[in-house]
Amino acid sequence: MKKLLNILLIAVMIVSLAACGGKKEEEKKVIYVGTNAEFPPFEYLEDGKITGFDMELIREIAKETEMEIKIEDMSFDGLLPALQSKKVDIVIAGMTANEERKKAVNFTSPYYTASQVIVVKEGDTSINSFDDLKGKKVGVMLGFTGDLVVSEIEGVNIERYNASYAGIMALQSDKVDAVVLDSEPAKNYVAKNDGLAIAQANAEKEEYAIAVRKDDTELLEKLESGLKAVKDKGIYEELLKKYF
Ligand code: ARG
């Protein structure tokens, strides 16, 4: 009899513990946000903390929509695979919403318009268009849209780097003749490093948006309404002023 009572007691304990745990999880469902914090001013590390325009934007959106988020830093080309395999639920990383990616994931409406630019050594007048990259050694970042743009030009000697600062360093040490990068990070690097300039060349516009899994329509709507609220309240405008 005593044994039976003990077993019963343990069973009751297990059930109530499980219920408790389940409830806690429901109340506090953490939404994981993937980024690649090597893309100033959108996301970068400052004193070991991830900051930047995108990071403040997603934190404000989370506040508006009462989401608890946790930011995960990883390589840029690992972001969409991490989203697909549910390691993260959201990707915000200055990511261009291009046709190829739209096939795999859903994007919110765009939150920033950028373009690809060519960073050269100051005084280099030989590059005035993307066509001028023919025959040159050009640094791009693995999986960035700049990689796609340069890969389409025939006769370019492409060097691929894992992070934009690595490409910029290669340019500074003459390992490459130019680096193709998104406009804002490019401006940022040029401003902070001597001897670099942005070539006068026209490039197509690109739009950054926040990505979620295809089936996560609820989260997409939440992000959309959060983005709208952040814009309506003037927070978005403040962030633009702060970072650009
Ligand atoms: N806009 C480019 C793209 O979508 C580059 C983005 C790189 N972002 C980053 N956080 N490293 O491919």
Side-chain angles (χ1 to χ4, degrees), residues 95-196:
M95 184 174 274
T96 305
N98 66 11
E99 292 312 314
E100 196 57 35
R101 290 172 183 158
K102 279 184 194 165
K103 282 183 205 156
V105 295
N106 273 346
F107 284 100
T108 59
S109 22
Y111 66 85
Y112 194 83
T113 303
S115 63
Q116 296 298 315
V117 299
I118 308 169
V119 184
V120 291
K121 279 284 197 64
E122 213 167 24
D124 182 349
T125 52
S126 68
I127 299 171
N128 301 299
S129 70
F130 276 80
D131 262 355
D132 289 340
L133 295 177
K134 281 186 183 150
K136 303 261 186 195
K137 240 184 165 183
V138 180
V140 298
M141 273 45 74
L142 192 71
F144 283 23
T145 36
D147 188 353
L148 302 177
V149 170
V150 180
S151 299
E152 270 172 24
I153 312 166
E154 254 172 72
V156 182
N157 195 343
I158 304 180
E159 290 286 333
R160 292 191 172 81
Y161 297 94
N162 276 321
S164 27
Y165 67 80
I168 293 295
M169 268 167 56
L171 176 61
Q172 281 181 310
S173 55
D174 292 317
K175 289 202 182 83
V176 293
D177 305 306
V179 166
V180 170
L181 186 61
D182 296 51
S183 44
E184 288 305 326
K187 276 190 226 161
N188 206 275
Y189 286 117
V190 168
K192 287 188 178 143
N193 295 279
D194 282 341
L196 300 179

Side-chain angles (χ1 to χ4, degrees), residues 13-236:
M13 267 165 71
I14 290 174
V15 169
S16 50
L17 260 177
C20 222
K23 196 161 172 225
K24 239 190 208 154
E25 216 169 82
E26 210 181 305
E27 275 169 9
K28 276 190 167 187
K29 194 176 175 288
V30 178
I31 307 279
Y32 289 89
V33 177
T35 196
N36 168 244
E38 293 170 324
F39 200 62
F42 292 95
E43 43 269 333
Y44 54 97
L45 292 170
E46 199 173 64
D47 304 324
K49 276 180 77 187
I50 305 177
T51 184
F53 180 83
D54 285 352
M55 299 300 98
E56 288 208 43
L57 182 64
I58 196 68
R59 284 182 186 126
E60 291 295 340
I61 290 175
K63 242 191 252 168
E64 289 300 326
T65 54
E66 290 176 2
M67 278 196 280
E68 190 183 333
I69 58 165
K70 194 164 178 287
I71 292 167
E72 302 276 338
D73 188 16
M74 58 190 81
S75 72
F76 186 77
D77 63 337
L79 284 170
L80 291 188
L83 185 61
Q84 303 287 32
S85 63
K86 301 195 174 177
K87 281 197 189 82
V88 297
D89 309 297
I90 293 174
V91 168
I92 179 163
M95 184 174 274
T96 305
N98 66 11
E99 292 312 314
E100 196 57 35
R101 290 172 183 158
K102 279 184 194 165
K103 282 183 205 156
V105 295
N106 273 346
F107 284 100
T108 59
S109 22
Y111 66 85
Y112 194 83
T113 303
S115 63
Q116 296 298 315
V117 299
I118 308 169
V119 184
V120 291
K121 279 284 197 64
E122 213 167 24
D124 182 349
T125 52
S126 68
I127 299 171
N128 301 299
S129 70
F130 276 80
D131 262 355
D132 289 340
L133 295 177
K134 281 186 183 150
K136 303 261 186 195
K137 240 184 165 183
V138 180
V140 298
M141 273 45 74
L142 192 71
F144 283 23
T145 36
D147 188 353
L148 302 177
V149 170
V150 180
S151 299
E152 270 172 24
I153 312 166
E154 254 172 72
V156 182
N157 195 343
I158 304 180
E159 290 286 333
R160 292 191 172 81
Y161 297 94
N162 276 321
S164 27
Y165 67 80
I168 293 295
M169 268 167 56
L171 176 61
Q172 281 181 310
S173 55
D174 292 317
K175 289 202 182 83
V176 293
D177 305 306
V179 166
V180 170
L181 186 61
D182 296 51
S183 44
E184 288 305 326
K187 276 190 226 161
N188 206 275
Y189 286 117
V190 168
K192 287 188 178 143
N193 295 279
D194 282 341
L196 300 179
I198 291 177
Q200 296 300 323
N202 290 325
E204 274 174 44
K205 298 257 173 280
E206 295 188 344
E207 289 188 309
Y208 296 169
I210 309 169
V212 296
R213 279 182 294 279
K214 279 264 183 223
D215 56 4
D216 234 347
T217 43
E218 208 177 301
L219 185 55
L220 185 68
E221 276 163 28
K222 227 174 176 184
L223 289 171
E224 204 67 67
S225 72
L227 186 59
K228 189 177 177 300
V230 166
K231 283 190 174 171
D232 289 348
K233 290 185 177 172
I235 301 168
Y236 177 85

